[in-house]
Amino acid sequence: MRQNPPNQPPSSQASDAAKSKGKVLIVDDIPSCLRLLSQMLQDRGYEVINALSGKIALNQVKLAMPDVILLDIIMPEISGYEVCQRLKSNPKTADIPIIFLTASTDLPEKIQAFKVGGDDYVTKPFYIQEVLLRIEHQLTLKQQQKQLNYLNQQLRQSNEELAEFSLFLYHELQSPLQTIIGFMGLVSAQSECFDNTTKKYLNYIAQASEQMHDFISYLLTYSRIENIKPELEMVDCQAAIAQVLHNLQGAITETGAVICIGSNPGSSQSQSTILPKVMGNAVQLEQVFQNLIENAIKFARPNIPPQIQITCQPDSNGELIFSIHDNGIGIDPANFDRIFQVFQRIETVKNYPGTGLGLSICKKIIERHGGKIWVESELGCGSTFYFTLPASSNSS
């Protein structure tokens, strides 16, 4: 038989077997029933293997892997149930569809057939057309599963290649970009030598370079979250928030932002609630807090200092609900889903700097941690971002 190229999809690989509809193993201890089914399937283009007992059937499977099995339940020595269990417990044969043949119409027997791993059943005496349709259905499902497995394999390969390309792109772009930023710093140190117009242009270049740097960094972060499983540890959310506030100290001071944990803005920090410890990835959860708090500072209303409240409460489902509330410009409810999509920036924030990746990164991180994220907001009335994380035994 001519071999197919290794990367060819299953649908193409099956074309060489077009002369046969498939290989069917029939297992029945009644010779007359075996002959009838065998002749019926052979007349309709199937390749048939016969077995008069469960023991013979198990040996036949080792010699020639069938595409589907018609399996009688009541047989001497080894029952159809046991044959099915043995086949389904073996990774090499677990995916072979098994259609039980049974003379019983009792519901418990049919339920048992599915419990041991059966895919379908036919009641004796059977109608030929019913048997044919059930076999064709199982073969179609099997082929679709092969096609799906192939596509998943291709998708995994594409994701791996994309992750490698993102890393390559990051390093290739960062090197010349760092050179530009470095020389801009040297040029800016000589700013007294330039007129105001030149200073303005140099400032544009510096801002654009920083924006590109941020964009590349966010893109690499998103790619890594998508393709690399995070290492989990016990994370102190209180410490994570402290680090974030330290990172954002410049923006906090510049805007006059008031940030409170577990209490209303303006109340004493010493009276605030201590955030719990959770099982997660410290770097990624810190990224979530930083993106959300940074947005709350950035999207403030003109001439109104940002007021941000961070809280955490357990719910009845064994999860912790974190919330970050601000008094900023707010979000139109029509855009709630869109803001979590990659590269999406809504009209009301296009005059603010950003990459369109921050919230999509938050969503990806939270989902990889087994939680969900959402927002409640109105234009001009501030926003509250919520996200959930599984509570651990050390959460307190």
Side-chain angles (χ1 to χ4, degrees), residues 142-178:
K142 185 178 181 180
Q143 184 59 33
Q144 290 173 343
Q145 185 61 49
K146 285 183 178 179
Q147 186 73 11
L148 182 61
N149 291 341
Y150 168 79
L151 293 174
N152 285 336
Q153 180 183 356
Q154 294 297 102
L155 181 60
R156 283 193 297 270
Q157 182 178 343
S158 296
N159 285 338
E160 290 171 1
E161 292 173 353
L162 179 61
E164 292 176 1
F165 177 73
S166 297
L167 187 59
F168 167 80
L169 192 64
Y170 174 78
H171 289 295
E172 289 299 307
L173 292 178
Q174 280 290 70
S175 180
L177 193 57
Q178 290 290 5

Short mmCIF file of all heavy atoms in Angstrom, two decimals, residues 142-178:
data_model
loop_
_atom_site.label_atom_id
_atom_site.label_comp_id
_atom_site.label_asym_id
_atom_site.label_seq_id
_atom_site.Cartn_x
_atom_site.Cartn_y
_atom_site.Cartn_z
N LYS A 142 -15.42 8.20 14.91
CA LYS A 142 -14.00 7.86 15.05
C LYS A 142 -13.14 8.68 14.09
O LYS A 142 -12.08 9.20 14.46
CB LYS A 142 -13.80 6.37 14.81
CG LYS A 142 -12.37 5.90 15.05
CD LYS A 142 -12.26 4.39 14.85
CE LYS A 142 -10.83 3.92 15.10
NZ LYS A 142 -10.70 2.45 14.91
N GLN A 143 -13.62 8.82 12.85
CA GLN A 143 -12.88 9.61 11.88
C GLN A 143 -12.85 11.09 12.26
O GLN A 143 -11.82 11.76 12.12
CB GLN A 143 -13.52 9.44 10.48
CG GLN A 143 -12.79 10.15 9.36
CD GLN A 143 -11.36 9.69 9.20
OE1 GLN A 143 -11.04 8.53 9.44
NE2 GLN A 143 -10.48 10.60 8.81
N GLN A 144 -13.97 11.59 12.76
CA GLN A 144 -14.01 12.98 13.21
C GLN A 144 -13.06 13.21 14.38
O GLN A 144 -12.41 14.26 14.47
CB GLN A 144 -15.44 13.37 13.58
CG GLN A 144 -16.37 13.47 12.39
CD GLN A 144 -17.82 13.70 12.79
OE1 GLN A 144 -18.20 13.49 13.95
NE2 GLN A 144 -18.64 14.13 11.85
N GLN A 145 -12.96 12.23 15.29
CA GLN A 145 -12.06 12.34 16.43
C GLN A 145 -10.60 12.36 15.96
O GLN A 145 -9.78 13.12 16.48
CB GLN A 145 -12.28 11.18 17.40
CG GLN A 145 -11.47 11.28 18.68
CD GLN A 145 -11.81 12.52 19.49
OE1 GLN A 145 -12.97 12.80 19.73
NE2 GLN A 145 -10.79 13.27 19.90
N LYS A 146 -10.29 11.51 14.96
CA LYS A 146 -8.94 11.52 14.40
C LYS A 146 -8.62 12.88 13.79
O LYS A 146 -7.52 13.41 13.95
CB LYS A 146 -8.81 10.43 13.34
CG LYS A 146 -8.70 9.01 13.88
CD LYS A 146 -8.51 8.02 12.74
CE LYS A 146 -8.35 6.60 13.26
NZ LYS A 146 -8.18 5.62 12.15
N GLN A 147 -9.60 13.41 13.05
CA GLN A 147 -9.39 14.72 12.43
C GLN A 147 -9.20 15.80 13.49
O GLN A 147 -8.33 16.68 13.35
CB GLN A 147 -10.59 15.05 11.53
CG GLN A 147 -10.44 16.31 10.71
CD GLN A 147 -9.48 16.16 9.56
OE1 GLN A 147 -9.07 15.04 9.24
NE2 GLN A 147 -9.11 17.25 8.93
N LEU A 148 -10.00 15.73 14.56
CA LEU A 148 -9.87 16.71 15.64
C LEU A 148 -8.52 16.59 16.33
O LEU A 148 -7.88 17.61 16.64
CB LEU A 148 -11.00 16.49 16.65
CG LEU A 148 -11.05 17.46 17.83
CD1 LEU A 148 -11.23 18.89 17.36
CD2 LEU A 148 -12.18 17.07 18.79
N ASN A 149 -8.05 15.35 16.57
CA ASN A 149 -6.74 15.15 17.18
C ASN A 149 -5.63 15.72 16.31
O ASN A 149 -4.67 16.31 16.81
CB ASN A 149 -6.50 13.66 17.44
CG ASN A 149 -7.40 13.10 18.52
OD1 ASN A 149 -7.96 13.83 19.32
ND2 ASN A 149 -7.56 11.79 18.53
N TYR A 150 -5.78 15.52 15.01
CA TYR A 150 -4.79 16.06 14.07
C TYR A 150 -4.77 17.58 14.12
O TYR A 150 -3.70 18.21 14.19
CB TYR A 150 -5.12 15.57 12.66
CG TYR A 150 -4.33 16.28 11.58
CD1 TYR A 150 -3.01 15.93 11.30
CD2 TYR A 150 -4.90 17.31 10.84
CE1 TYR A 150 -2.28 16.58 10.32
CE2 TYR A 150 -4.18 17.97 9.85
CZ TYR A 150 -2.87 17.60 9.59
OH TYR A 150 -2.17 18.26 8.63
N LEU A 151 -5.95 18.18 14.11
CA LEU A 151 -6.02 19.64 14.15
C LEU A 151 -5.47 20.19 15.47
O LEU A 151 -4.80 21.23 15.49
CB LEU A 151 -7.47 20.11 13.95
CG LEU A 151 -8.06 19.83 12.56
CD1 LEU A 151 -9.54 20.19 12.54
CD2 LEU A 151 -7.32 20.59 11.48
N ASN A 152 -5.74 19.49 16.59
CA ASN A 152 -5.21 19.91 17.87
C ASN A 152 -3.69 19.83 17.90
O ASN A 152 -3.02 20.70 18.46
CB ASN A 152 -5.80 19.05 19.00
CG ASN A 152 -7.23 19.42 19.33
OD1 ASN A 152 -7.66 20.54 19.07
ND2 ASN A 152 -7.98 18.49 19.88
N GLN A 153 -3.17 18.77 17.28
CA GLN A 153 -1.71 18.64 17.20
C GLN A 153 -1.11 19.78 16.38
O GLN A 153 -0.08 20.36 16.76
CB GLN A 153 -1.36 17.29 16.56
CG GLN A 153 0.14 17.06 16.44
CD GLN A 153 0.46 15.74 15.74
OE1 GLN A 153 -0.44 14.97 15.41
NE2 GLN A 153 1.72 15.49 15.51
N GLN A 154 -1.76 20.12 15.26
CA GLN A 154 -1.28 21.21 14.44
C GLN A 154 -1.36 22.54 15.20
O GLN A 154 -0.48 23.39 15.09
CB GLN A 154 -2.11 21.30 13.15
CG GLN A 154 -1.95 20.12 12.21
CD GLN A 154 -0.53 19.99 11.69
OE1 GLN A 154 0.23 19.17 12.15
NE2 GLN A 154 -0.18 20.83 10.74
N LEU A 155 -2.45 22.70 15.98
CA LEU A 155 -2.62 23.93 16.76
C LEU A 155 -1.54 24.06 17.83
O LEU A 155 -0.98 25.14 18.04
CB LEU A 155 -4.01 23.95 17.39
CG LEU A 155 -4.36 25.18 18.23
CD1 LEU A 155 -4.29 26.45 17.38
CD2 LEU A 155 -5.75 25.04 18.84
N ARG A 156 -1.24 22.95 18.52
CA ARG A 156 -0.18 22.97 19.53
C ARG A 156 1.16 23.32 18.90
O ARG A 156 1.95 24.11 19.45
CB ARG A 156 -0.09 21.61 20.23
CG ARG A 156 -1.17 21.37 21.27
CD ARG A 156 -0.86 20.18 22.13
NE ARG A 156 -0.82 18.94 21.35
CZ ARG A 156 -1.87 18.16 21.14
NH1 ARG A 156 -3.04 18.50 21.66
NH2 ARG A 156 -1.77 17.06 20.44
N GLN A 157 1.42 22.74 17.72
CA GLN A 157 2.67 23.03 17.03
C GLN A 157 2.73 24.51 16.63
O GLN A 157 3.77 25.16 16.77
CB GLN A 157 2.81 22.14 15.80
CG GLN A 157 4.11 22.34 15.04
CD GLN A 157 4.23 21.39 13.85
OE1 GLN A 157 3.51 20.40 13.76
NE2 GLN A 157 5.12 21.70 12.94
N SER A 158 1.60 25.03 16.15
CA SER A 158 1.56 26.45 15.75
C SER A 158 1.78 27.36 16.95
O SER A 158 2.48 28.37 16.86
CB SER A 158 0.22 26.76 15.09
OG SER A 158 0.06 26.04 13.89
N ASN A 159 1.18 27.00 18.10
CA ASN A 159 1.35 27.80 19.31
C ASN A 159 2.81 27.80 19.77
O ASN A 159 3.33 28.82 20.22
CB ASN A 159 0.45 27.29 20.42
CG ASN A 159 -1.00 27.68 20.22
OD1 ASN A 159 -1.30 28.64 19.51
ND2 ASN A 159 -1.91 26.96 20.83
N GLU A 160 3.45 26.62 19.68
CA GLU A 160 4.85 26.53 20.07
C GLU A 160 5.72 27.39 19.15
O GLU A 160 6.64 28.08 19.60
CB GLU A 160 5.31 25.07 20.03
CG GLU A 160 4.69 24.22 21.13
CD GLU A 160 4.99 22.74 20.96
OE1 GLU A 160 5.71 22.40 19.98
OE2 GLU A 160 4.53 21.93 21.77
N GLU A 161 5.42 27.32 17.84
CA GLU A 161 6.19 28.13 16.88
C GLU A 161 5.95 29.62 17.12
O GLU A 161 6.87 30.43 17.01
CB GLU A 161 5.80 27.74 15.46
CG GLU A 161 6.25 26.33 15.07
CD GLU A 161 5.71 25.91 13.71
OE1 GLU A 161 4.88 26.66 13.14
OE2 GLU A 161 6.11 24.83 13.23
N LEU A 162 4.69 29.97 17.45
CA LEU A 162 4.37 31.37 17.72
C LEU A 162 5.10 31.86 18.97
O LEU A 162 5.60 32.99 19.00
CB LEU A 162 2.86 31.54 17.90
CG LEU A 162 2.37 32.96 18.20
CD1 LEU A 162 2.74 33.91 17.06
CD2 LEU A 162 0.85 32.97 18.41
N ALA A 163 5.17 31.01 20.00
CA ALA A 163 5.89 31.39 21.22
C ALA A 163 7.37 31.61 20.93
O ALA A 163 7.98 32.57 21.42
CB ALA A 163 5.71 30.31 22.29
N GLU A 164 7.95 30.71 20.12
CA GLU A 164 9.36 30.86 19.75
C GLU A 164 9.57 32.13 18.94
O GLU A 164 10.56 32.85 19.13
CB GLU A 164 9.83 29.63 18.96
CG GLU A 164 9.88 28.36 19.79
CD GLU A 164 10.26 27.15 18.96
OE1 GLU A 164 10.51 27.32 17.74
OE2 GLU A 164 10.31 26.04 19.52
N PHE A 165 8.64 32.40 18.02
CA PHE A 165 8.76 33.61 17.20
C PHE A 165 8.63 34.87 18.04
O PHE A 165 9.34 35.85 17.83
CB PHE A 165 7.70 33.59 16.09
CG PHE A 165 7.71 34.84 15.24
CD1 PHE A 165 8.72 35.06 14.32
CD2 PHE A 165 6.70 35.78 15.36
CE1 PHE A 165 8.74 36.20 13.54
CE2 PHE A 165 6.70 36.93 14.59
CZ PHE A 165 7.73 37.14 13.67
N SER A 166 7.70 34.84 19.02
CA SER A 166 7.52 36.00 19.89
C SER A 166 8.78 36.29 20.67
O SER A 166 9.18 37.45 20.83
CB SER A 166 6.34 35.75 20.85
OG SER A 166 5.14 35.60 20.14
N LEU A 167 9.42 35.23 21.18
CA LEU A 167 10.66 35.41 21.92
C LEU A 167 11.76 35.96 21.02
O LEU A 167 12.50 36.87 21.40
CB LEU A 167 11.09 34.08 22.54
CG LEU A 167 12.30 34.13 23.49
CD1 LEU A 167 12.02 35.07 24.66
CD2 LEU A 167 12.62 32.73 24.00
N PHE A 168 11.84 35.40 19.80
CA PHE A 168 12.83 35.88 18.84
C PHE A 168 12.57 37.35 18.50
O PHE A 168 13.49 38.18 18.48
CB PHE A 168 12.76 35.02 17.57
CG PHE A 168 13.50 35.60 16.39
CD1 PHE A 168 14.88 35.47 16.28
CD2 PHE A 168 12.82 36.27 15.38
CE1 PHE A 168 15.56 36.01 15.20
CE2 PHE A 168 13.49 36.81 14.30
CZ PHE A 168 14.87 36.67 14.21
N LEU A 169 11.29 37.67 18.25
CA LEU A 169 10.93 39.04 17.89
C LEU A 169 11.25 40.00 19.04
O LEU A 169 11.74 41.12 18.82
CB LEU A 169 9.45 39.11 17.55
CG LEU A 169 8.94 40.39 16.88
CD1 LEU A 169 9.58 40.55 15.52
CD2 LEU A 169 7.42 40.35 16.74
N TYR A 170 10.97 39.56 20.26
CA TYR A 170 11.24 40.40 21.43
C TYR A 170 12.72 40.78 21.48
O TYR A 170 13.07 41.96 21.63
CB TYR A 170 10.84 39.64 22.69
CG TYR A 170 11.21 40.34 23.98
CD1 TYR A 170 10.46 41.40 24.46
CD2 TYR A 170 12.32 39.91 24.71
CE1 TYR A 170 10.80 42.04 25.64
CE2 TYR A 170 12.66 40.54 25.89
CZ TYR A 170 11.90 41.60 26.35
OH TYR A 170 12.23 42.23 27.51
N HIS A 171 13.59 39.78 21.34
CA HIS A 171 15.02 40.06 21.44
C HIS A 171 15.52 40.87 20.24
O HIS A 171 16.36 41.77 20.41
CB HIS A 171 15.80 38.75 21.56
CG HIS A 171 15.62 38.07 22.88
ND1 HIS A 171 16.06 38.61 24.06
CD2 HIS A 171 15.02 36.89 23.21
CE1 HIS A 171 15.75 37.81 25.06
NE2 HIS A 171 15.13 36.76 24.58
N GLU A 172 14.99 40.57 19.05
CA GLU A 172 15.44 41.27 17.86
C GLU A 172 15.01 42.75 17.86
O GLU A 172 15.73 43.61 17.36
CB GLU A 172 14.90 40.58 16.60
CG GLU A 172 15.56 39.24 16.30
CD GLU A 172 17.05 39.37 16.06
OE1 GLU A 172 17.44 40.19 15.20
OE2 GLU A 172 17.82 38.66 16.74
N LEU A 173 13.83 43.03 18.42
CA LEU A 173 13.35 44.41 18.45
C LEU A 173 13.87 45.17 19.67
O LEU A 173 14.09 46.39 19.60
CB LEU A 173 11.82 44.42 18.45
CG LEU A 173 11.15 43.95 17.16
CD1 LEU A 173 9.63 43.98 17.31
CD2 LEU A 173 11.56 44.81 15.97
N GLN A 174 14.03 44.46 20.78
CA GLN A 174 14.46 45.14 21.99
C GLN A 174 15.87 45.71 21.86
O GLN A 174 16.16 46.80 22.36
CB GLN A 174 14.43 44.17 23.19
CG GLN A 174 13.04 43.98 23.78
CD GLN A 174 12.55 45.22 24.50
OE1 GLN A 174 12.25 46.24 23.88
NE2 GLN A 174 12.46 45.15 25.80
N SER A 175 16.74 44.98 21.19
CA SER A 175 18.13 45.44 21.09
C SER A 175 18.26 46.80 20.41
O SER A 175 18.82 47.74 21.00
CB SER A 175 18.98 44.38 20.37
OG SER A 175 20.32 44.79 20.27
N PRO A 176 17.73 46.97 19.18
CA PRO A 176 17.82 48.31 18.57
C PRO A 176 16.99 49.36 19.30
O PRO A 176 17.35 50.54 19.34
CB PRO A 176 17.30 48.09 17.15
CG PRO A 176 16.48 46.85 17.21
CD PRO A 176 17.12 46.00 18.25
N LEU A 177 15.87 48.91 19.92
CA LEU A 177 15.03 49.86 20.63
C LEU A 177 15.76 50.40 21.88
O LEU A 177 15.68 51.60 22.17
CB LEU A 177 13.71 49.19 21.04
CG LEU A 177 12.59 50.11 21.53
CD1 LEU A 177 12.24 51.15 20.48
CD2 LEU A 177 11.36 49.27 21.87
N GLN A 178 16.45 49.51 22.57
CA GLN A 178 17.22 49.96 23.74
C GLN A 178 18.33 50.93 23.31
O GLN A 178 18.65 51.88 24.03
CB GLN A 178 17.83 48.75 24.46
CG GLN A 178 16.81 47.88 25.19
CD GLN A 178 16.23 48.56 26.41
OE1 GLN A 178 16.51 49.72 26.69
NE2 GLN A 178 15.39 47.84 27.14
#
